Amino acid sequence: MAYWYEGPLAAFDTETTGVDVETDRIVSAAVVVQDAPGARPRVTRWLVNPGVPVPAAATAVHGLTEDHLQRNGRWPSPVMEEIAKELAEQAVRGRPLVVMNAPFDLTLLDRELRRHRASCLSHWFESSPLHVLDPRVLDKHLDRYRKGRRTLTDLCGHYGVALEGAHDAAADALAAMDVVRAVGRRFAARLERLSPAELHTLQAVWHAAQARGLQAWFARSGTEEEVDPAWPLRPDLPAAA
């Protein structure tokens, strides 16, 4: 019997102008589809001219300059619809979608759809629900007492996954998918009986608990940062930028 982590998966990742989902913009994105572990992945990429300045700090991370994006990137409006359509197609085909730190990438895409298409991400999944697998949430729940950071680079190192070309959307998406497969195998006894749909529901609960724990830690350390418990998509604000 083939379990979900040995079967078809898709993965999504973005590179952006910054880390604020309400105001920052997508500059590149990728969807990677793989039918089985080791199979040749199919990659769809987008390069976006965000129409706003690209901070040097962001360029230092992903290497995409404002000049390069203006010369080679496409206008956001059609790109955002194409990305949403591609994710919806994965849902129709029943492929779980791997998204590392899903509330960031999916919320950012939602805000871009609202900004440029007067639409929202949830609209695309009204007939076929999206089942998200978030390696960060899964790892934190299944190995909660392990010390250390849990960035994609850290998870790749811990699970023995190669990450070539970090902070390239396609490379990061493929690495996140490989991490999820590795998590599935390592914790097979706890995961193999759960469907992607069941895991999607459970991850929302697990992420909320993780957020409460982090918020309590912030409170004890005197940090005023707020931790949003919503997963995989943050609720819309009254007036998104």
Side-chain angles (χ1 to χ4, degrees):
M1 178 179 177
Y3 297 108
W4 59 262
Y5 47 85
E6 303 293 357
L9 293 176
F12 172 60
D13 189 70
T14 66
E15 298 301 328
T16 69
T17 60
V19 297
D20 188 329
V21 297
E22 303 299 339
T23 60
D24 280 305
R25 311 296 174 91
I26 293 172
V27 297
S28 70
V31 172
V32 177
V33 178
Q34 188 183 47
D35 293 327
R40 184 180 181 86
R42 301 186 295 279
V43 180
T44 304
R45 302 171 184 266
W46 294 269
L47 191 67
V48 185
N49 175 2
V52 299
V54 179
T59 297
V61 173
H62 50 59
L64 299 171
T65 65
E66 187 172 334
D67 179 69
H68 177 76
L69 294 169
Q70 288 176 348
R71 291 174 180 273
N72 301 285
R74 296 170 57 203
W75 192 243
S77 180
V79 171
M80 299 312 150
E81 182 164 5
E82 288 173 16
I83 295 172
K85 184 177 181 180
E86 179 65 27
L87 297 187
E89 178 66 19
Q90 302 311 316
V92 168
R93 294 182 178 276
R95 294 190 187 102
L97 183 71
V98 176
V99 190
M100 174 71 185
N101 191 17
F104 178 78
D105 293 84
L106 295 183
T107 303
L108 194 59
L109 176 58
D110 175 79
R111 302 311 192 251
E112 289 277 55
L113 286 166
R114 292 171 186 270
R115 183 178 294 120
H116 296 289
R117 303 295 303 183
S119 179
C120 65
L121 188 58
S122 60
H123 164 76
W124 290 85
F125 305 105
E126 291 174 348
S127 58
S128 298
L130 186 66
H131 298 144
V132 176
L133 299 171
D134 188 331
R136 186 170 182 268
V137 174
L138 290 170
D139 175 71
K140 287 184 72 174
H141 177 77
L142 295 164
D143 198 0
R144 67 183 68 183
Y145 299 114
R146 188 178 81 250
K147 296 185 182 300
R149 289 156 47 89
R150 302 189 193 231
T151 66
L152 179 59
T153 300
D154 297 317
L155 294 183
C156 287
H158 181 72
Y159 287 99
V161 169
L163 174 55
E164 299 179 3
H167 300 297
D168 169 82
D172 287 356
L174 181 59
M177 181 188 295
D178 288 342
V179 168
V180 162
R181 293 193 190 280
V183 169
R185 295 186 196 102
R186 183 168 300 186
F187 298 98
R190 298 166 63 182
L191 294 177
E192 62 188 13
R193 296 184 183 277
L194 296 170
S195 69
E198 291 169 325
L199 271 175
H200 181 101
T201 300
L202 286 169
Q203 284 170 101
V205 177
W206 296 343
H207 178 270
Q210 292 162 9
R212 289 194 298 270
L214 182 57
Q215 191 71 74
W217 185 85
F218 281 155
R220 290 194 300 271
S221 63
T223 302
E224 296 182 358
E225 184 175 347
E226 293 291 328
V227 183
D228 196 321
W231 183 97
L233 183 66
R234 296 177 186 171
D236 55 305
L237 296 180

